[in-house]
């Protein structure tokens, strides 16, 4: 088995007086959902539940079929465990999970069956009533000395073009002067 315990964590919680919750944290690093197992404390050994969660993580990591709501897998207690897709985990951090529940005659309490809900989006939290079309403090952010027409005038482009042309001419003159020496000149050109 790959060293999943180096990349993911398994935690154990006592959810109620009769029920426990074990979960993984870190499967998101592999683009996989974390896993949870809800079970009666007296009926199962935590080490068996941990092995089950690690095996299920490895199955998904190795490219097994996607685990979906209602899928079953043989697990601890020599019984089937049913998968429940959850929007949010029962414990922090908030994240989607696959929750495993043993298929037996025991039914988990309703709080352990809660699938979670989608978080409110930031746009739902945004109140645009405070936005106004008027300038802040009654003052507009305008520089009275700034002239839009002058800024957009082609004279600026002409000035830039002239500067570039001058720079290119200077560079060309420097290159030509550096390449010529007295031997390259005709006798008539020498003084």
């Amino acid at each position: 088995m790959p060293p999943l315990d180096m990349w993911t964590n398994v935690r154990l919680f006592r959810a109620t007086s009769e029920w426990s919750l074990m979960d993984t944290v870190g499967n998101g690093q592999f683009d996989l959902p974390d896993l949870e197992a809800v079970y009666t404390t007296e009926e199962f050994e935590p080490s068996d539940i941990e092995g089950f969660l690690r095996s299920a993580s490895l199955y998904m990591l190795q490219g097994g079929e996607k685990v979906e709501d209602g899928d079953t897998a043989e697990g601890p207690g020599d019984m089937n465990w049913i998968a429940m897709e959850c929007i949010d985990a029962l414990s922090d951090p908030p994240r989607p999970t696959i929750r495993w529940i043993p298929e037996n005659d025991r039914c988990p309490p309703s709080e352990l069956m809660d699938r979670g809900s989608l978080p409110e989006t930031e746009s739902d939290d945004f109140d645009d009533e405070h936005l106004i079309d008027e300038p802040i403090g009654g003052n507009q952010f305008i520089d009275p000395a700034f002239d839009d027409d002058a800024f957009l005038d082609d004279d600026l482009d002409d000035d830039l073009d002239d500067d570039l042309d001058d720079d290119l001419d200077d560079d060309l003159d420097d290159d030509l002067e550096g390449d010529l020496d007295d031997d390259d000149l005709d006798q008539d050109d020498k003084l």
Side-chain angles (χ1 to χ4, degrees):
M1 178 184 289
L4 286 175
D5 56 346
M6 290 179 60
W7 295 95
T8 62
N9 195 13
V10 175
R11 307 178 301 178
L12 175 62
F13 303 92
R14 184 72 176 225
T16 70
S17 59
E18 294 181 36
W19 290 84
S20 291
L21 163 69
M22 187 176 286
D23 71 355
T24 64
V25 179
N27 283 357
Q29 298 172 88
F30 306 114
D31 292 327
L32 298 173
D34 278 317
L35 305 178
E36 298 175 307
V38 174
Y39 59 95
T40 52
T41 306
E42 291 181 10
E43 198 171 350
F44 300 96
E45 288 295 320
S47 60
D48 293 338
I49 303 297
E50 178 186 8
F52 174 66
L53 294 178
R54 293 281 189 203
S55 293
S57 294
L58 181 61
Y59 171 80
M60 293 187 309
L61 185 62
Q62 291 177 335
E65 291 182 33
K66 181 180 181 220
V67 177
E68 296 178 337
D69 206 56
D71 287 348
T72 59
E74 188 175 327
D78 293 325
M79 64 179 68
N80 283 336
W81 289 61
I82 189 164
M84 185 172 128
E85 290 183 280
C86 299
I87 295 169
D88 197 8
L90 291 171
S91 62
D92 285 334
R95 66 207 187 278
T97 62
I98 302 290
R99 188 170 307 144
W100 293 97
I101 301 164
E103 281 190 316
N104 58 12
D105 58 349
R106 306 288 305 267
C107 185
S110 60
E111 64 266 18
L112 298 180
M113 297 297 287
D114 182 13
R115 293 176 187 260
S117 59
L118 291 174
E120 292 184 31
T121 63
E122 290 179 19
S123 62
D124 291 342
D125 294 338
F126 185 74
D127 181 16
D128 61 356
E129 288 183 23
H130 72 279
L131 297 178
I132 54 175
D133 291 332
E134 300 170 16
I136 297 174
N139 298 323
Q140 292 189 6
F141 297 108
I142 297 176
D143 180 0
F146 184 79
D147 183 6
D148 288 339
D149 293 330
F151 180 75
L152 298 174
D153 191 7
D154 287 338
D155 289 344
L156 291 174
D157 291 336
D158 292 341
D159 291 344
L160 288 174
D161 290 341
D162 290 344
D163 289 343
L164 285 174
D165 288 342
D166 290 345
D167 289 343
L168 288 173
D169 288 342
D170 290 345
D171 289 344
L172 185 60
D173 290 343
D174 290 345
D175 287 345
L176 288 175
E177 287 175 12
D179 290 344
L180 295 177
D181 56 11
D182 288 341
D183 296 334
D184 293 331
L185 298 175
D186 290 339
Q187 286 294 340
D188 297 333
D189 292 333
K190 289 185 180 178
L191 291 177

